[in-house]
Amino acid sequence: MSLETTPVRPAEEPHEDAGRLRGSLGVWSIVFMVTAAASPLGVIGGPVPLGIAVGNGTGFPATYLIAGVVLLLFAVGFTALTPHVRDAGAFWSYIGAGIGRSVGLGAGFAALLSYVTLEAGVFGLIGPGLDALLVSYGVPSQPWWLYAALTFAIVSFLGYRNIDLSGKVLAVGLLAEVAIVLVLDLVIVVRGGADGLSTGIVDPSAITSGAPGLGILFAILSFLGFEATAVFRDEARDPERTVARATSISLVLITLFYAVSSWALISAVGDDDAVAQATDNGATLLADVTRDYLGSAGEHIIQVLFVTSLFACILSFHNIVARYVFTLAGGRALPGRLGTAHERHASPHLASVVTSAVVGVLLVIGVLADLDPIAEFYTWLAGFASVGVVVLYGLTGAAVVTYFARRPELRTQTGAWRTTVAPVLGTLGLIVFLGLILQNLTTLVGGSTPLAIGVVALLALSFALGPLVARRRPGVLDLE
Protein backbone atom coordinates (compact mmCIF):
# COMPACT_ATOMS: atom_id res chain seq x y z
CA MET A 1 0.00 0.00 0.00
CA SER A 2 1.96 2.96 -1.22
CA LEU A 3 1.17 6.39 0.10
CA GLU A 4 2.73 8.18 -2.83
CA THR A 5 0.58 10.06 -5.31
CA THR A 6 -1.49 7.03 -6.21
CA PRO A 7 -4.73 8.12 -7.88
CA VAL A 8 -7.83 7.51 -5.83
CA ARG A 9 -10.40 5.25 -7.52
CA PRO A 10 -13.51 7.25 -8.49
CA ALA A 11 -16.57 6.51 -6.42
CA GLU A 12 -18.66 5.53 -9.43
CA GLU A 13 -16.40 2.62 -10.36
CA PRO A 14 -17.43 -0.74 -8.90
CA HIS A 15 -15.44 -1.93 -5.94
CA GLU A 16 -14.56 -5.52 -6.66
CA ASP A 17 -12.09 -5.81 -3.82
CA ALA A 18 -13.91 -7.32 -0.85
CA GLY A 19 -11.19 -5.99 1.42
CA ARG A 20 -12.20 -2.37 0.92
CA LEU A 21 -14.91 -0.54 2.76
CA ARG A 22 -17.77 1.00 0.83
CA GLY A 23 -20.20 3.78 1.52
CA SER A 24 -21.76 6.89 0.04
CA LEU A 25 -20.86 9.45 2.69
CA GLY A 26 -20.97 13.03 1.51
CA VAL A 27 -19.43 16.10 3.12
CA TRP A 28 -22.25 16.61 5.60
CA SER A 29 -22.46 12.94 6.59
CA ILE A 30 -18.80 13.03 7.61
CA VAL A 31 -19.31 16.39 9.31
CA PHE A 32 -22.10 14.83 11.36
CA MET A 33 -19.86 11.86 12.22
CA VAL A 34 -16.93 13.83 13.57
CA THR A 35 -19.00 16.63 15.12
CA ALA A 36 -20.99 14.00 16.97
CA ALA A 37 -17.70 12.59 18.26
CA ALA A 38 -17.01 16.03 19.73
CA SER A 39 -20.33 15.70 21.63
CA PRO A 40 -21.34 19.40 21.47
CA LEU A 41 -23.99 19.22 24.19
CA GLY A 42 -21.76 17.06 26.36
CA VAL A 43 -19.01 19.67 26.07
CA ILE A 44 -21.32 22.55 27.02
CA GLY A 45 -22.44 20.58 30.07
CA GLY A 46 -18.97 19.30 31.05
CA PRO A 47 -15.67 20.89 29.94
CA VAL A 48 -17.21 24.37 29.66
CA PRO A 49 -18.11 24.68 33.38
CA LEU A 50 -14.70 23.23 34.24
CA GLY A 51 -12.92 25.72 32.00
CA ILE A 52 -14.82 28.60 33.58
CA ALA A 53 -14.23 27.35 37.13
CA VAL A 54 -10.54 26.45 37.06
CA GLY A 55 -9.41 28.18 33.87
CA ASN A 56 -9.77 31.81 32.91
CA GLY A 57 -13.33 32.47 34.08
CA THR A 58 -15.36 34.80 31.88
CA GLY A 59 -12.52 34.86 29.33
CA PHE A 60 -12.86 31.12 28.72
CA PRO A 61 -14.97 31.41 25.51
CA ALA A 62 -12.03 33.15 23.84
CA THR A 63 -9.90 30.04 24.41
CA TYR A 64 -12.12 28.18 21.96
CA LEU A 65 -11.32 30.77 19.35
CA ILE A 66 -7.59 30.43 20.10
CA ALA A 67 -7.70 26.64 19.96
CA GLY A 68 -9.84 26.77 16.83
CA VAL A 69 -7.35 29.01 15.01
CA VAL A 70 -4.43 26.71 15.85
CA LEU A 71 -6.34 23.63 14.73
CA LEU A 72 -7.47 25.35 11.54
CA LEU A 73 -3.82 26.07 10.74
CA PHE A 74 -3.10 22.40 11.38
CA ALA A 75 -6.03 21.42 9.13
CA VAL A 76 -4.69 23.49 6.23
CA GLY A 77 -1.65 21.24 6.02
CA PHE A 78 -3.62 18.13 6.94
CA THR A 79 -5.98 18.58 4.01
CA ALA A 80 -3.14 19.58 1.65
CA LEU A 81 -1.62 16.14 2.18
CA THR A 82 -4.94 14.29 1.79
CA PRO A 83 -4.83 13.88 -2.03
CA HIS A 84 -1.42 12.20 -1.70
CA VAL A 85 -2.46 9.74 1.03
CA ARG A 86 -4.76 7.07 -0.30
CA ASP A 87 -5.02 4.95 2.83
CA ALA A 88 -7.81 5.67 5.32
CA GLY A 89 -5.42 5.55 8.26
CA ALA A 90 -5.43 9.24 9.22
CA PHE A 91 -2.61 9.62 11.75
CA TRP A 92 -0.47 6.62 10.86
CA SER A 93 -0.79 7.02 7.11
CA TYR A 94 -0.05 10.76 7.15
CA ILE A 95 2.84 10.46 9.60
CA GLY A 96 4.18 7.43 7.73
CA ALA A 97 4.08 9.30 4.44
CA GLY A 98 5.94 12.32 5.82
CA ILE A 99 8.30 10.96 8.46
CA GLY A 100 8.63 7.24 7.81
CA ARG A 101 7.10 3.82 8.16
CA SER A 102 8.37 3.05 11.67
CA VAL A 103 7.13 6.31 13.16
CA GLY A 104 3.86 5.99 11.26
CA LEU A 105 3.28 2.50 12.61
CA GLY A 106 3.98 3.67 16.16
CA ALA A 107 1.52 6.51 15.61
CA GLY A 108 -1.08 3.98 14.50
CA PHE A 109 -0.74 2.02 17.72
CA ALA A 110 -0.82 5.24 19.79
CA ALA A 111 -3.94 6.46 17.97
CA LEU A 112 -5.64 3.11 18.45
CA LEU A 113 -4.88 3.16 22.15
CA SER A 114 -5.93 6.80 22.59
CA TYR A 115 -9.26 6.48 20.82
CA VAL A 116 -10.27 3.18 22.37
CA THR A 117 -9.65 4.55 25.86
CA LEU A 118 -11.67 7.67 25.04
CA GLU A 119 -14.55 5.57 23.72
CA ALA A 120 -14.52 3.44 26.87
CA GLY A 121 -14.27 6.49 29.11
CA VAL A 122 -17.47 8.08 27.79
CA PHE A 123 -19.41 5.02 29.00
CA GLY A 124 -18.57 6.37 32.47
CA LEU A 125 -20.60 9.48 31.61
CA ILE A 126 -23.55 7.94 29.82
CA GLY A 127 -24.25 5.37 32.53
CA PRO A 128 -24.88 7.92 35.31
CA GLY A 129 -26.46 10.33 32.81
CA LEU A 130 -29.04 7.81 31.67
CA ASP A 131 -29.73 6.74 35.24
CA ALA A 132 -30.32 10.36 36.32
CA LEU A 133 -32.63 10.93 33.35
CA LEU A 134 -34.77 7.87 34.12
CA VAL A 135 -34.84 8.64 37.85
CA SER A 136 -36.31 12.05 37.00
CA TYR A 137 -39.21 10.17 35.40
CA GLY A 138 -39.75 7.93 38.41
CA VAL A 139 -37.67 4.91 37.42
CA PRO A 140 -35.75 3.39 40.38
CA SER A 141 -32.02 4.12 40.30
CA GLN A 142 -29.80 1.40 38.84
CA PRO A 143 -26.02 0.80 38.82
CA TRP A 144 -24.31 2.92 36.16
CA TRP A 145 -22.77 -0.11 34.52
CA LEU A 146 -26.20 -1.56 33.70
CA TYR A 147 -27.01 1.36 31.40
CA ALA A 148 -23.44 1.35 30.09
CA ALA A 149 -23.91 -2.31 29.13
CA LEU A 150 -27.14 -1.50 27.29
CA THR A 151 -25.43 1.29 25.37
CA PHE A 152 -22.50 -1.03 24.66
CA ALA A 153 -24.82 -3.58 23.01
CA ILE A 154 -26.48 -0.98 20.76
CA VAL A 155 -23.17 0.58 19.70
CA SER A 156 -21.70 -2.86 18.94
CA PHE A 157 -24.68 -3.66 16.69
CA LEU A 158 -24.49 -0.37 14.78
CA GLY A 159 -20.72 -0.62 14.44
CA TYR A 160 -21.06 -4.03 12.80
CA ARG A 161 -23.27 -2.71 10.02
CA ASN A 162 -22.73 -0.26 7.16
CA ILE A 163 -21.47 3.21 8.04
CA ASP A 164 -24.47 4.88 6.37
CA LEU A 165 -26.75 3.57 9.14
CA SER A 166 -24.52 5.07 11.85
CA GLY A 167 -24.35 8.30 9.88
CA LYS A 168 -28.14 8.63 9.83
CA VAL A 169 -28.44 7.88 13.54
CA LEU A 170 -25.78 10.46 14.38
CA ALA A 171 -27.27 13.11 12.09
CA VAL A 172 -30.65 13.02 13.83
CA GLY A 173 -29.19 13.20 17.34
CA LEU A 174 -26.67 15.88 16.46
CA LEU A 175 -29.20 18.19 14.84
CA ALA A 176 -31.48 17.91 17.87
CA GLU A 177 -28.79 18.68 20.44
CA VAL A 178 -27.34 21.58 18.48
CA ALA A 179 -30.82 23.00 17.91
CA ILE A 180 -31.77 23.06 21.61
CA VAL A 181 -28.50 24.75 22.57
CA LEU A 182 -28.88 27.36 19.84
CA VAL A 183 -32.44 28.06 21.00
CA LEU A 184 -31.11 28.48 24.54
CA ASP A 185 -28.35 30.80 23.26
CA LEU A 186 -30.90 32.91 21.38
CA VAL A 187 -33.23 33.26 24.37
CA ILE A 188 -30.33 34.27 26.62
CA VAL A 189 -29.19 36.91 24.14
CA VAL A 190 -32.72 38.28 23.59
CA ARG A 191 -33.31 38.52 27.34
CA GLY A 192 -29.92 40.13 27.83
CA GLY A 193 -28.55 37.59 30.28
CA ALA A 194 -28.56 38.05 34.04
CA ASP A 195 -26.73 41.37 34.14
CA GLY A 196 -26.20 42.16 30.50
CA LEU A 197 -24.22 40.14 27.96
CA SER A 198 -20.75 39.00 28.99
CA THR A 199 -17.77 41.05 27.79
CA GLY A 200 -15.13 38.52 28.85
CA ILE A 201 -14.77 37.04 25.38
CA VAL A 202 -13.30 40.33 24.07
CA ASP A 203 -11.63 41.58 27.27
CA PRO A 204 -7.85 40.88 27.24
CA SER A 205 -7.66 41.16 31.04
CA ALA A 206 -10.39 38.51 31.41
CA ILE A 207 -8.84 36.21 28.80
CA THR A 208 -5.47 36.26 30.58
CA SER A 209 -6.94 36.08 34.09
CA GLY A 210 -6.93 33.06 36.36
CA ALA A 211 -5.26 30.06 34.72
CA PRO A 212 -5.52 30.54 30.94
CA GLY A 213 -3.38 27.46 30.45
CA LEU A 214 -6.05 25.29 32.04
CA GLY A 215 -8.65 27.09 29.95
CA ILE A 216 -6.80 26.13 26.76
CA LEU A 217 -6.50 22.59 28.10
CA PHE A 218 -10.26 22.12 28.46
CA ALA A 219 -10.84 23.82 25.13
CA ILE A 220 -8.51 21.51 23.22
CA LEU A 221 -10.12 18.47 24.86
CA SER A 222 -13.42 19.57 23.36
CA PHE A 223 -12.10 19.22 19.80
CA LEU A 224 -10.79 15.67 19.99
CA GLY A 225 -11.84 13.61 16.98
CA PHE A 226 -12.24 16.28 14.29
CA GLU A 227 -9.29 14.90 12.28
CA ALA A 228 -11.06 11.54 11.93
CA THR A 229 -12.62 12.84 8.70
CA ALA A 230 -9.70 11.12 6.94
CA VAL A 231 -10.59 7.75 8.46
CA PHE A 232 -13.76 7.65 6.37
CA ARG A 233 -12.15 8.34 2.98
CA ASP A 234 -12.89 4.83 1.62
CA GLU A 235 -16.57 5.35 2.38
CA ALA A 236 -16.78 8.85 0.92
CA ARG A 237 -18.22 9.62 -2.50
CA ASP A 238 -15.31 11.85 -3.52
CA PRO A 239 -12.48 11.36 -0.97
CA GLU A 240 -10.14 14.15 -2.07
CA ARG A 241 -12.77 16.90 -1.93
CA THR A 242 -15.04 15.42 0.72
CA VAL A 243 -12.38 14.94 3.41
CA ALA A 244 -10.89 18.42 2.98
CA ARG A 245 -14.26 20.17 3.02
CA ALA A 246 -15.61 18.10 5.91
CA THR A 247 -12.51 18.82 8.02
CA SER A 248 -12.70 22.59 7.51
CA ILE A 249 -16.46 22.79 7.97
CA SER A 250 -16.34 20.65 11.12
CA LEU A 251 -13.65 22.80 12.71
CA VAL A 252 -15.33 26.11 11.92
CA LEU A 253 -18.73 24.94 13.15
CA ILE A 254 -17.36 23.39 16.34
CA THR A 255 -15.27 26.46 17.14
CA LEU A 256 -18.13 28.91 16.68
CA PHE A 257 -20.63 26.70 18.50
CA TYR A 258 -18.40 26.29 21.55
CA ALA A 259 -17.35 29.93 21.70
CA VAL A 260 -20.87 31.35 21.31
CA SER A 261 -22.57 28.81 23.59
CA SER A 262 -20.02 29.12 26.41
CA TRP A 263 -20.30 32.93 26.14
CA ALA A 264 -24.10 32.67 26.35
CA LEU A 265 -23.86 30.34 29.36
CA ILE A 266 -21.70 32.89 31.19
CA SER A 267 -24.09 35.69 30.18
CA ALA A 268 -27.00 33.69 31.58
CA VAL A 269 -25.58 33.74 35.13
CA GLY A 270 -23.66 37.03 34.87
CA ASP A 271 -19.95 37.83 34.79
CA ASP A 272 -19.82 38.44 38.53
CA ASP A 273 -21.31 35.04 39.44
CA ALA A 274 -20.02 32.85 36.58
CA VAL A 275 -16.94 31.42 38.30
CA ALA A 276 -18.77 30.77 41.57
CA GLN A 277 -21.68 29.08 39.79
CA ALA A 278 -19.37 26.93 37.66
CA THR A 279 -17.33 25.96 40.73
CA ASP A 280 -20.23 25.15 43.05
CA ASN A 281 -22.78 23.83 40.54
CA GLY A 282 -20.73 22.82 37.51
CA ALA A 283 -22.44 19.45 37.04
CA THR A 284 -25.89 21.04 36.84
CA LEU A 285 -25.03 24.49 35.44
CA LEU A 286 -26.39 23.80 31.96
CA ALA A 287 -29.60 22.21 33.28
CA ASP A 288 -30.10 25.03 35.78
CA VAL A 289 -29.65 27.72 33.12
CA THR A 290 -31.98 25.86 30.75
CA ARG A 291 -34.68 25.68 33.42
CA ASP A 292 -34.34 29.41 34.11
CA TYR A 293 -34.54 30.42 30.44
CA LEU A 294 -36.58 27.65 28.77
CA GLY A 295 -38.63 26.32 31.67
CA SER A 296 -38.99 22.77 32.96
CA ALA A 297 -39.82 21.44 29.48
CA GLY A 298 -36.52 22.77 28.16
CA GLU A 299 -34.70 21.25 31.12
CA HIS A 300 -36.14 17.80 30.36
CA ILE A 301 -35.24 18.13 26.67
CA ILE A 302 -31.66 19.05 27.62
CA GLN A 303 -31.43 16.01 29.92
CA VAL A 304 -32.58 13.69 27.14
CA LEU A 305 -30.32 15.19 24.51
CA PHE A 306 -27.36 15.17 26.89
CA VAL A 307 -27.66 11.37 26.97
CA THR A 308 -28.14 11.09 23.20
CA SER A 309 -25.12 13.37 22.72
CA LEU A 310 -22.95 11.02 24.73
CA PHE A 311 -24.34 8.05 22.78
CA ALA A 312 -23.44 9.77 19.52
CA CYS A 313 -19.94 10.43 20.86
CA ILE A 314 -19.44 6.76 21.75
CA LEU A 315 -20.78 5.55 18.39
CA SER A 316 -18.53 7.95 16.49
CA PHE A 317 -15.40 6.90 18.33
CA HIS A 318 -16.34 3.25 17.94
CA ASN A 319 -16.49 3.75 14.16
CA ILE A 320 -13.15 5.55 14.23
CA VAL A 321 -11.40 2.85 16.27
CA ALA A 322 -12.83 0.05 14.12
CA ARG A 323 -11.42 1.73 11.00
CA TYR A 324 -8.01 2.12 12.60
CA VAL A 325 -8.02 -1.60 13.35
CA PHE A 326 -9.20 -2.34 9.80
CA THR A 327 -6.52 -0.27 8.07
CA LEU A 328 -3.71 -1.49 10.34
CA ALA A 329 -4.79 -5.07 9.63
CA GLY A 330 -4.85 -4.31 5.91
CA GLY A 331 -1.23 -3.22 6.25
CA ARG A 332 -0.38 -6.45 8.12
CA ALA A 333 0.37 -4.65 11.37
CA LEU A 334 -2.52 -6.62 12.91
CA PRO A 335 -3.99 -10.02 11.93
CA GLY A 336 -5.09 -9.87 8.30
CA ARG A 337 -8.62 -11.16 8.90
CA LEU A 338 -9.44 -7.93 10.73
CA GLY A 339 -8.86 -6.08 7.46
CA THR A 340 -11.69 -7.85 5.64
CA ALA A 341 -14.95 -6.01 4.97
CA HIS A 342 -18.36 -7.63 5.44
CA GLU A 343 -19.67 -9.01 2.12
CA ARG A 344 -23.13 -7.46 2.49
CA HIS A 345 -22.67 -4.48 4.83
CA ALA A 346 -19.22 -3.51 3.44
CA SER A 347 -18.31 -2.66 7.03
CA PRO A 348 -15.22 -3.45 9.12
CA HIS A 349 -17.30 -6.01 11.01
CA LEU A 350 -14.49 -8.07 12.53
CA ALA A 351 -12.53 -4.93 13.45
CA SER A 352 -15.70 -3.63 15.11
CA VAL A 353 -16.10 -6.85 17.10
CA VAL A 354 -12.50 -6.61 18.34
CA THR A 355 -13.03 -2.96 19.26
CA SER A 356 -16.13 -3.92 21.25
CA ALA A 357 -14.19 -6.66 23.02
CA VAL A 358 -11.42 -4.28 24.13
CA VAL A 359 -13.90 -1.65 25.30
CA GLY A 360 -15.84 -4.36 27.11
CA VAL A 361 -12.72 -5.46 28.97
CA LEU A 362 -11.99 -1.88 30.04
CA LEU A 363 -15.56 -1.51 31.30
CA VAL A 364 -15.35 -4.74 33.28
CA ILE A 365 -12.07 -3.63 34.84
CA GLY A 366 -13.62 -0.30 35.81
CA VAL A 367 -16.61 -2.00 37.41
CA LEU A 368 -14.59 -4.65 39.25
CA ALA A 369 -12.17 -2.00 40.52
CA ASP A 370 -15.19 -0.04 41.79
CA LEU A 371 -14.02 3.14 40.07
CA ASP A 372 -16.24 6.19 40.23
CA PRO A 373 -17.65 6.37 36.69
CA ILE A 374 -17.04 10.10 36.25
CA ALA A 375 -14.32 11.23 38.68
CA GLU A 376 -12.08 8.23 38.00
CA PHE A 377 -13.09 6.03 35.05
CA TYR A 378 -13.91 8.83 32.62
CA THR A 379 -11.40 11.39 33.86
CA TRP A 380 -8.42 9.04 33.83
CA LEU A 381 -9.15 7.60 30.39
CA ALA A 382 -9.91 11.03 28.89
CA GLY A 383 -6.66 12.38 30.35
CA PHE A 384 -4.75 9.55 28.70
CA ALA A 385 -6.46 10.13 25.36
CA SER A 386 -5.82 13.88 25.41
CA VAL A 387 -2.06 13.43 25.68
CA GLY A 388 -1.95 10.84 22.92
CA VAL A 389 -4.07 12.76 20.42
CA VAL A 390 -2.26 16.10 20.83
CA VAL A 391 1.10 14.34 20.35
CA LEU A 392 -0.31 12.81 17.18
CA TYR A 393 -1.55 16.20 15.97
CA GLY A 394 1.93 17.62 16.38
CA LEU A 395 3.61 14.71 14.57
CA THR A 396 1.10 14.94 11.74
CA GLY A 397 1.84 18.66 11.32
CA ALA A 398 5.56 17.90 11.16
CA ALA A 399 4.88 15.11 8.66
CA VAL A 400 3.08 17.52 6.32
CA VAL A 401 6.03 19.90 6.26
CA THR A 402 8.53 17.05 5.76
CA TYR A 403 6.51 15.41 2.99
CA PHE A 404 6.33 18.53 0.85
CA ALA A 405 9.89 19.60 1.66
CA ARG A 406 11.07 16.39 0.00
CA ARG A 407 8.90 17.06 -3.06
CA PRO A 408 9.54 20.67 -4.16
CA GLU A 409 7.43 20.24 -7.30
CA LEU A 410 4.37 19.36 -5.20
CA ARG A 411 5.14 22.16 -2.75
CA THR A 412 5.23 24.68 -5.60
CA GLN A 413 2.03 23.27 -7.09
CA THR A 414 0.14 23.32 -3.78
CA GLY A 415 1.53 26.59 -2.43
CA ALA A 416 3.80 27.58 0.46
CA TRP A 417 0.89 28.57 2.72
CA ARG A 418 -0.69 25.10 2.70
CA THR A 419 2.53 23.08 2.67
CA THR A 420 4.79 25.07 4.99
CA VAL A 421 3.56 28.24 6.68
CA ALA A 422 0.21 27.08 8.06
CA PRO A 423 1.36 23.61 9.21
CA VAL A 424 4.46 25.06 10.90
CA LEU A 425 2.39 27.64 12.79
CA GLY A 426 -0.18 25.01 13.72
CA THR A 427 2.49 22.59 14.95
CA LEU A 428 4.11 25.27 17.10
CA GLY A 429 0.73 26.03 18.66
CA LEU A 430 0.16 22.33 19.31
CA ILE A 431 3.54 22.06 21.03
CA VAL A 432 2.41 24.81 23.40
CA PHE A 433 -0.87 22.96 24.00
CA LEU A 434 1.01 19.73 24.73
CA GLY A 435 3.17 21.52 27.27
CA LEU A 436 0.05 22.80 29.02
CA ILE A 437 -1.51 19.33 29.07
CA LEU A 438 1.62 17.69 30.50
CA GLN A 439 1.92 20.46 33.07
CA ASN A 440 -1.63 19.71 34.24
CA LEU A 441 -1.69 15.96 33.57
CA THR A 442 -1.80 15.04 37.25
CA THR A 443 -5.00 17.06 37.62
CA LEU A 444 -6.50 15.37 34.57
CA VAL A 445 -5.95 11.87 35.96
CA GLY A 446 -7.40 12.45 39.37
CA GLY A 447 -4.37 13.93 41.15
CA SER A 448 -2.27 10.76 40.95
CA THR A 449 1.36 11.38 40.00
CA PRO A 450 2.11 7.65 39.45
CA LEU A 451 -0.90 7.42 37.14
CA ALA A 452 0.25 10.49 35.21
CA ILE A 453 3.69 8.91 34.77
CA GLY A 454 2.00 5.68 33.70
CA VAL A 455 0.04 7.54 31.01
CA VAL A 456 3.21 8.92 29.44
CA ALA A 457 5.00 5.57 29.76
CA LEU A 458 2.16 3.64 28.11
CA LEU A 459 2.03 6.07 25.20
CA ALA A 460 5.80 5.89 24.81
CA LEU A 461 5.53 2.11 24.72
CA SER A 462 2.87 2.23 21.99
CA PHE A 463 5.11 4.45 19.87
CA ALA A 464 8.07 2.13 20.51
CA LEU A 465 6.06 -0.79 19.12
CA GLY A 466 6.21 0.86 15.70
CA PRO A 467 9.94 0.47 15.00
CA LEU A 468 9.91 -2.95 16.71
CA VAL A 469 7.13 -4.34 14.51
CA ALA A 470 8.58 -2.65 11.43
CA ARG A 471 11.91 -4.41 11.95
CA ARG A 472 10.35 -7.80 12.58
CA ARG A 473 7.96 -7.50 9.61
CA PRO A 474 9.74 -5.59 6.83
CA GLY A 475 6.71 -5.48 4.54
CA VAL A 476 4.27 -4.08 7.08
CA LEU A 477 2.66 -0.74 6.12
CA ASP A 478 4.79 -0.08 3.09
CA LEU A 479 4.60 3.67 3.38
CA GLU A 480 7.94 4.83 2.14
Side-chain angles (χ1 to χ4, degrees), residues 1-280:
M1 294 190 306
S2 173
L3 286 183
E4 302 303 322
T5 55
T6 306
V8 179
R9 176 167 41 197
E12 64 270 18
E13 292 183 9
H15 291 255
E16 298 177 355
D17 183 4
R20 291 187 70 84
L21 304 178
R22 301 192 302 277
S24 57
L25 297 177
V27 171
W28 287 103
S29 293
I30 297 179
V31 168
F32 285 139
M33 197 76 63
V34 298
T35 307
S39 185
L41 186 56
V43 166
I44 302 303
V48 166
L50 286 171
I52 296 170
V54 302
N56 46 341
T58 59
F60 178 65
T63 62
Y64 280 120
L65 300 177
I66 296 170
V69 168
V70 170
L71 293 177
L72 278 168
L73 289 170
F74 163 83
V76 169
F78 183 75
T79 55
L81 189 53
T82 297
H84 310 289
V85 180
R86 181 175 183 178
D87 299 89
F91 283 135
W92 69 255
S93 53
Y94 284 66
I95 294 171
I99 300 178
R101 181 166 60 95
S102 296
V103 180
L105 184 54
F109 290 132
L112 191 58
L113 193 59
S114 298
Y115 280 132
V116 80
T117 53
L118 189 56
E119 178 191 344
V122 182
F123 280 96
L125 294 180
I126 200 169
L130 187 52
D131 181 55
L133 172 64
L134 295 178
V135 166
S136 71
Y137 287 99
V139 177
S141 180
Q142 301 294 330
W144 73 271
W145 53 262
L146 185 64
Y147 294 118
L150 175 63
T151 305
F152 174 83
I154 298 172
V155 168
S156 297
F157 169 76
L158 291 173
Y160 189 89
R161 297 176 65 85
N162 186 272
I163 189 67
D164 292 330
L165 177 59
S166 292
K168 292 173 183 176
V169 171
L170 293 175
V172 173
L174 179 64
L175 288 173
E177 65 178 276
V178 169
I180 188 64
V181 175
L182 291 180
V183 168
L184 176 61
D185 293 346
L186 180 61
V187 172
I188 292 171
V189 171
V190 170
R191 289 176 53 178
D195 303 305
L197 299 178
S198 173
T199 59
I201 192 172
V202 293
D203 183 354
S205 63
I207 296 171
T208 57
S209 67
L214 281 173
I216 286 288
L217 170 62
F218 286 109
I220 199 69
L221 282 173
S222 305
F223 286 91
L224 293 189
F226 82 89
E227 79 296 331
T229 49
V231 175
F232 301 105
R233 66 167 297 133
D234 283 350
E235 295 148 289
R237 285 196 291 265
D238 184 356
E240 293 187 23
R241 295 181 180 179
T242 299
V243 171
R245 291 177 181 175
T247 303
S248 300
I249 291 172
S250 298
L251 264 178
V252 171
L253 291 180
I254 291 172
T255 299
L256 294 176
F257 180 84
Y258 289 158
V260 171
S261 298
S262 57
W263 166 77
L265 194 65
I266 291 172
S267 298
V269 296
D271 281 348
D272 293 338
D273 295 330
V275 174
Q277 289 286 343
T279 302
D280 298 336

Side-chain angles (χ1 to χ4, degrees), residues 350-376:
L350 295 178
S352 177
V353 169
V354 169
T355 300
S356 294
V358 174
V359 171
V361 169
L362 291 173
L363 284 170
V364 170
I365 292 173
V367 172
L368 293 179
D370 197 26
L371 297 179
D372 180 276
I374 299 175
E376 295 174 330

